[in-house]
Amino acid sequence: MASTVPQIEAPQIVACTVSRDVQNFDLLIEDMEGALGECWGDLSFAEALSFLGQPESQTLELIALAVDAADEDNLALMGQVISQAKAQDLKVILIAEDMSPVSLHSLLRQGADEFVPYPLPEGELAAAIERVRAAPVQAPQPEPQTAQLTSGAQKDGALIVVHGLAGGTGATTMAVNLAWELATADKKNPAKVCLLDLDLQFGSVATYLDLPPREAVYDMLSETETMDEESFGQALLTYEERLHVLTSPPEILPLDLITSDDVKRILDVARNQFDYVIVDMPSTLVQWTETVLTNAHVYFALLELDMRCAQNTLRFKRALQSEELPIETLRFILNRAPKFTDLTSKSRVKRLAESLGISIDVQLPDGGKQVTQANDHGTPLAISAPKSPLRREFAKLAASIHELKNDGVKAA
């Protein structure tokens, strides 16, 4: 007579750790066993992307993404894991050791639901698991609105350009905040403002305003010959229902993808539709820089009080003069300027201007950590740090531009 052996069912896997090597997180192994018993598994980053697309992953409720400083070079891969998990409505607990705040913020913005530092505080992992299990399923966020433009409009808007004469001088920060201040300067009769990010390779306007780069931008840039108000409006996104933004494309593109004629068409359509058009330029001089310069009402060139900016300013001036390009619209702005009481640095600023043969029209104070935090959170300083001295300078500059434009309209 045959004997019957009882069948023991394997536990259903409801969670997985995802890491470069889970053995680097021995405390995590103990806490996962304490919270979930044998109902969890372990995956590497590459394995996770493959497994999450298989039917076997349907039993999962959450993943615990464990990372440390050595993983900062693979943020894109970790972002893919989070995106794949969120696409399957899985909760994501981020467990991090010695990661920079910027990297942590990036992963959290991509969809991580909870953050727990490593080494794990007593009972914190179990508490995080309970929180994500109890959290209601969030409705998908609505897509940012595209712009609805008026056919045949002829506003003849002011073209204001921001160009950093070296990397990290704060040109994009200025472009974003100046555009926002212009859009909100007049509460009763707000101006229509458009912000164009023409840095096709590393433009960060989308990051600074928490807007998603879109393929529609590339489509519009590739077909400016047939562009009209509707197709241009479809490429724009609206920030807080007040500011219209053309982000840089989602992928890095060559700067010569667009020609001078393409740029002229974009600027003409934008100026017809908006009171102000703010352009954030790449720091590199390209063939269509001349087009932007000759059409600009004001061309702000940002520099800092250092040797590289001094050298680049001199090269910039010589390049324009050698091509006999107009420099009357140039306005030099010193970012991270010394404080009023720093007399030694003040004299350095004066000597810098004299040696370069320029006039420094505006001096912006150092915004410090508030600028970094505002940019990382995707908000203008007027929202995140309204009392910031740097924000006040942007507001003053926007008010003076608005006043000059109104005076010009009245005179006409």
Side-chain angles (χ1 to χ4, degrees), residues 126-140:
I129 292 174
E130 289 301 318
R131 286 195 297 270
V132 297
R133 279 177 159 176
V137 177
Q138 294 184 350

Side-chain angles (χ1 to χ4, degrees), residues 39-53:
C39 298
W40 68 281
D42 169 55
L43 299 168
S44 67
F45 296 128
E47 290 171 341
L49 289 175
S50 175
F51 179 75
L52 290 175

Side-chain angles (χ1 to χ4, degrees), residues 374-389:
N375 293 341
D376 283 348
H377 286 82
T379 57
L381 284 169
I383 296 175
S384 62
K387 296 183 179 180
S388 163

Side-chain angles (χ1 to χ4, degrees), residues 335-396:
N335 196 17
R336 302 182 180 94
K339 296 181 179 179
F340 181 76
T341 54
D342 189 351
L343 300 182
T344 301
S345 295
K346 284 286 185 182
S347 64
R348 286 181 60 202
V349 173
K350 183 179 180 181
R351 292 198 304 271
L352 174 69
E354 291 173 349
S355 63
L356 296 176
I358 64 173
S359 172
I360 296 179
D361 299 286
V362 180
Q363 296 188 31
L364 300 175
D366 188 349
K369 292 183 178 180
Q370 289 179 326
V371 172
T372 303
Q373 292 170 352
N375 293 341
D376 283 348
H377 286 82
T379 57
L381 284 169
I383 296 175
S384 62
K387 296 183 179 180
S388 163
L390 179 59
R391 184 262 160 170
R392 290 174 179 169
E393 290 301 318
F394 286 139
K396 289 179 185 177

Side-chain angles (χ1 to χ4, degrees), residues 47-123:
E47 290 171 341
L49 289 175
S50 175
F51 179 75
L52 290 175
Q54 298 176 8
E56 292 81 358
S57 66
Q58 298 303 311
T59 63
L60 290 181
E61 299 177 15
L62 61 95
I63 65 170
L65 181 64
V67 294
D68 57 23
D71 296 312
E72 292 202 53
D73 293 335
N74 292 317
L75 286 179
L77 180 58
M78 291 182 280
Q80 292 177 25
V81 173
I82 294 175
S83 298
Q84 182 70 18
K86 301 308 292 183
Q88 295 183 213
D89 294 327
L90 300 181
K91 300 297 184 180
V92 179
I93 299 176
L94 178 62
I95 298 160
E97 179 181 22
D98 297 332
M99 293 278 281
S100 70
V102 173
S103 297
L104 286 176
H105 181 67
S106 173
L107 294 176
L108 288 169
R109 282 184 60 184
Q110 292 183 70
D113 299 283
E114 283 278 345
F115 165 65
V116 181
Y118 189 89
L120 299 164
E122 184 70 28

